[in-house]
Amino acid sequence: MLEVKIMIEAPELVNAINNLATAVSGVKTNCITENTSEPVSPSAPLTTSVPASAPPVQPVIPTNTANIPAPNIPLAQAPKYTVEQIMSAGAMLMDAGKVNELMNLLHSFGVQAVVDLKPEQLGAFATALRELGAKI
């Protein structure tokens, strides 16, 4: 048997700790104080017996987060890229000998040239250019 001794100054905490220990372990606790009719002094021991075979307490993790409001944190705007910035980054890749990779990237976006990209595609295209090694 495992014996834990805790010194408590507040008598209302004794009941709270006993209730918690009972709820966690499913075992009644044995609270011993010097005088139970008076507040517990700092030197009064609180002895709680918990079986050594008691399973460890696992934290409860909520699985349904649908009702938890999202914190009100402002999100940074994604950077805006111009066709000129993308063309400059593409030219660096061409100079580095990555013409085939650049052409495959253009085709994956369904275009033949950078000027054919839609404005909403520029950010994703810039990210893909970075993955190829471009500085943008």
Side-chain angles (χ1 to χ4, degrees), residues 22-36:
T22 300
V24 169
S25 68
V27 176
K28 289 194 128 190
T29 58
N30 181 16
C31 177
I32 303 170
T33 61
E34 289 177 3
N35 185 347
T36 58

Side-chain angles (χ1 to χ4, degrees), residues 25-130:
S25 68
V27 176
K28 289 194 128 190
T29 58
N30 181 16
C31 177
I32 303 170
T33 61
E34 289 177 3
N35 185 347
T36 58
S37 63
E38 300 204 7
V40 178
S41 69
S43 63
L46 169 66
T47 304
T48 303
S49 298
V50 179
S53 63
V57 177
Q58 296 295 321
V60 177
I61 301 171
T63 56
N64 182 6
T65 58
N67 294 333
I68 299 174
N72 190 12
I73 300 172
L75 300 175
Q77 291 291 328
K80 302 288 184 194
Y81 297 99
T82 64
V83 172
E84 290 78 22
Q85 289 173 310
I86 296 209
M87 288 175 68
S88 175
M92 286 186 246
L93 288 176
M94 289 175 63
D95 291 343
K98 295 188 176 185
V99 176
N100 289 336
E101 290 91 339
L102 185 59
M103 293 307 294
N104 289 336
L105 180 60
L106 285 167
H107 293 176
S108 73
F109 277 79
V111 295
Q112 296 294 317
V114 172
V115 293
D116 297 332
L117 288 168
K118 296 176 184 165
E120 60 269 13
Q121 292 178 306
L122 295 178
F125 194 83
T127 300
L129 285 175
R130 265 192 231 97

